[in-house]
């Protein structure tokens, strides 16, 4: 059972709204990641963090921002949502350098 | 450019048979390769990891091979069951960037009775 939690599970929001997608893990993992996935497509890394106060942009350019003030919490924020942001957002964490990722269940975001 | 390729067409097999999924990559020197299972609307679940200096790894009914010369990994599920039906993702970590995984698009497996 995953020990990484994402809320909300589903979100429908109007264009121009500010949103924050929550991600929390109880495993004490240092490394955390945000991936974006469209239906039938591969996961794309948009942000990652190696620990508190560490954040980096991923391979896919994203208008979102992240913060890592506490080890267990890695929220993603969109200041002004647009329809192009409609996608599934997946949060993951990992402890050991060569271990597998633990993923959350994802947030399916729809911007109308 | 770097590319990870998995069969985009679904693989349909009969219960009890062995399913074999392929992952090919180009322009990578992966430190290790991982396989994940993803069910519709859910996050991927980690299955197996194999390092560049390993040829084969097993876990229960699962077996992964890794051929760095052919730039290919094969993922086998023996005695497949309908509950194995899902999309299976291959993911690579490049040497020197051990913490970042790049994923393939996945292959959907359907196991029928």
């Amino acid at each position: 059972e995953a020990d990484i939690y994402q809320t909300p599970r589903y979100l429908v929001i109007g264009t121009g709204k500010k949103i924050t997608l929550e991600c929390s893990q109880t495993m004490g993992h240092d490394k955390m990641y945000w991936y974006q996935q469209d239906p039938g497509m591969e996961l794309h890394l948009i942000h990652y963090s190696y620990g508190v106060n560490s954040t980096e942009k991923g391979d896919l350019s994203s208008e979102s921002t992240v913060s890592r003030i506490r080890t267990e919490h890695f929220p993603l924020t969109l200041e002004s949502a647009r329809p192009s942001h409609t996608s599934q957002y997946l949060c993951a964490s990992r402890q050991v350098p060569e271990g597998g990722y633990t993923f959350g269940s994802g947030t399916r975001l729809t911007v109308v | 450019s770097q590319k990870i390729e998995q069969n985009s067409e679904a693989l349909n097999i009969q219960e009890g048979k062995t399913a074999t999924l392929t992952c090919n990559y180009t322009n990578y020197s992966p430190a290790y390769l991982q396989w994940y299972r993803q069910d519709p609307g859910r996050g991927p679940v980690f299955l197996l990891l194999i390092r560049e200096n390993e040829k084969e790894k097993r876990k229960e009914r699962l077996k992964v091979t890794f051929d760095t010369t052919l730039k290919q990994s094969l993922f086998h599920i023996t005695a497949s069951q309908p509950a194995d039906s899902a999309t299976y993702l291959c993911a690579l970590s490049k040497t020197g960037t051990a913490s970042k995984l790049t994923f393939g698009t996945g292959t959907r497996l359907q196991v029928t009775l």
Side-chain angles (χ1 to χ4, degrees), chain A residues 9 31 33 35 37 40-43 45 48 50 59 88 90 94 97-101 103-106 108, chain B residues 31-32 34 36 38 40-46 49 51 89 93-94 97-105:
Chain A
R9 187 83 174 83
K31 297 177 178 58
Y33 310 83
Y35 282 83
Q37 185 182 31
M41 304 297 288
E42 65 264 51
L43 284 77
L45 180 67
Y48 60 101
Y50 288 164
D59 302 324
Q88 173 155 271
L90 291 158
R94 183 176 66 170
E98 296 180 355
Y101 285 17
F103 279 88
S105 294
R108 180 157 296 284
Chain B
Y32 52 87
Q34 302 185 16
Y36 288 78
Q38 187 174 27
R42 312 295 293 184
V45 175
F46 172 68
L49 176 152
R51 294 176 178 80
L89 309 176
S93 172
K94 293 182 283 186
T97 61
S99 289
K100 290 165 55 178
L101 281 183
T102 302
F103 286 82
T105 53

Side-chain angles (χ1 to χ4, degrees), chain B residues 23-101:
Chain B
C23 174
N24 295 298
Y25 59 92
T26 55
N27 297 325
Y28 268 105
S29 294
Y32 52 87
L33 185 148
Q34 302 185 16
W35 283 89
Y36 288 78
R37 168 188 173 137
Q38 187 174 27
D39 292 291
R42 312 295 293 184
V45 175
F46 172 68
L47 297 174
L48 278 169
L49 176 152
I50 187 164
R51 294 176 178 80
E52 60 182 330
N53 59 351
E54 296 177 318
K55 297 290 186 189
E56 183 179 298
K57 186 74 73 77
R58 291 175 185 262
K59 179 183 175 184
E60 298 172 352
R61 294 185 296 112
L62 309 180
K63 185 178 85 170
V64 172
T65 63
F66 194 11
D67 189 327
T68 54
T69 301
L70 290 178
K71 296 187 183 297
Q72 181 181 79
S73 174
L74 299 178
F75 177 78
H76 307 272
I77 305 175
T78 57
S80 57
Q81 306 164 358
D84 295 326
S85 300
T87 296
Y88 290 87
L89 309 176
C90 166
L92 298 179
S93 172
K94 293 182 283 186
T95 302
T97 61
S99 289
K100 290 165 55 178
L101 281 183

Side-chain angles (χ1 to χ4, degrees), chain A residues 36-70:
Chain A
Q36 185 175 339
Q37 185 182 31
D38 292 322
M41 304 297 288
E42 65 264 51
L43 284 77
H44 290 287
L45 180 67
I46 52 175
H47 298 283
Y48 60 101
S49 167
Y50 288 164
V52 171
N53 294 325
S54 151
T55 61
E56 301 284 345
K57 289 192 178 294
D59 302 324
L60 180 67
S61 175
S62 174
E63 292 167 345
S64 58
T65 59
V66 292
S67 62
R68 189 90 183 274
I69 298 171
R70 303 196 317 264

